[in-house]
Amino acid sequence: LTLQTGGTLSIQGVLATSCLPVIGPGSFVMQPGSTLRICSSDGISVTGPTGAIQLTGTRTFASDASYVYNGGAGVQSTGTGLPSQVRSLTVDNSAGLTLNNGGVRVAQTLALTNGNLNTSSAQMLTLLSTPTAGTALVVNTNGAVVGPATMQRAIDPAFNAGAGYRHYSSPVVSTMLSN
């Protein structure tokens, strides 16, 4: 896909790159609530000629948006352009996806549709939880999180005021519970 003018490509719905980079002059703005389907093995970057979006102007990727990694030619990386917080993240690549943007915090859904999400202590996954926005969840169809991750669980003081018991257990296998 080539942007012919020096304008701004603004995404308000779904953009599926279909394994072809978006190139040309101009800028890229991903609006909140939109979805970017990324096929590039390099993911997305904020500058340079790599990844799914390669426009020469500025690139803005929304934190309140959904990112679907659906490459098919080997392991994908998120790329350094993936925001540190996203609405949802989907792995739909049987070879898997590796975080390499410094880590990501997911506000609503991590979908492991087909493939693993690879994390490390430097590239952490955090599933967020707040009393007002709710708790992020994992939809595990065919994959796993391989490496460290943090799952938050908010306690709403309106429903848990004063002394009392709070019972916790790990929501995943082979993990440690801490506060």
Side-chain angles (χ1 to χ4, degrees):
L1 178 63
T2 302
L3 186 63
Q4 296 294 327
T5 65
T8 298
L9 176 60
S10 182
I11 305 304
Q12 295 181 340
V14 177
L15 174 62
T17 60
S18 301
C19 297
L20 299 172
V22 178
I23 59 173
S27 297
F28 179 86
V29 176
M30 189 171 175
Q31 300 294 328
S34 60
T35 299
L36 181 59
R37 300 179 66 76
I38 304 155
C39 187
S40 171
S41 62
D42 295 326
I44 53 177
S45 60
V46 291
T47 61
T50 61
I53 309 297
Q54 298 181 17
L55 295 174
T56 58
T58 59
R59 301 173 201 166
T60 305
F61 299 99
S63 61
D64 187 24
S66 300
Y67 297 84
V68 178
Y69 287 82
N70 61 342
V75 177
Q76 284 182 279
S77 67
T78 57
T80 56
L82 183 69
S84 61
Q85 181 173 324
V86 299
R87 175 186 288 186
S88 70
L89 178 65
T90 300
V91 179
D92 191 7
N93 176 353
S94 60
L97 175 67
T98 299
L99 289 179
N100 72 333
N101 65 325
V104 67
R105 301 175 322 164
V106 177
Q108 290 183 357
T109 306
L110 169 64
L112 301 170
T113 305
N114 187 23
N116 296 336
L117 176 63
N118 301 298
T119 68
S120 68
S121 59
Q123 311 294 331
M124 285 289 292
L125 165 69
T126 302
L127 299 172
L128 299 175
S129 180
T130 68
T132 55
T135 300
L137 60 93
V138 177
V139 177
N140 187 345
T141 306
N142 184 27
V145 175
V146 178
T150 298
M151 181 169 186
Q152 298 178 348
R153 182 64 176 127
I155 299 175
D156 188 340
F159 298 110
N160 297 289
Y165 292 99
R166 277 39 167 213
H167 297 277
Y168 290 99
S169 67
S170 174
V172 292
V173 177
S174 301
T175 62
M176 183 174 62
L177 182 66
S178 65
N179 59 8

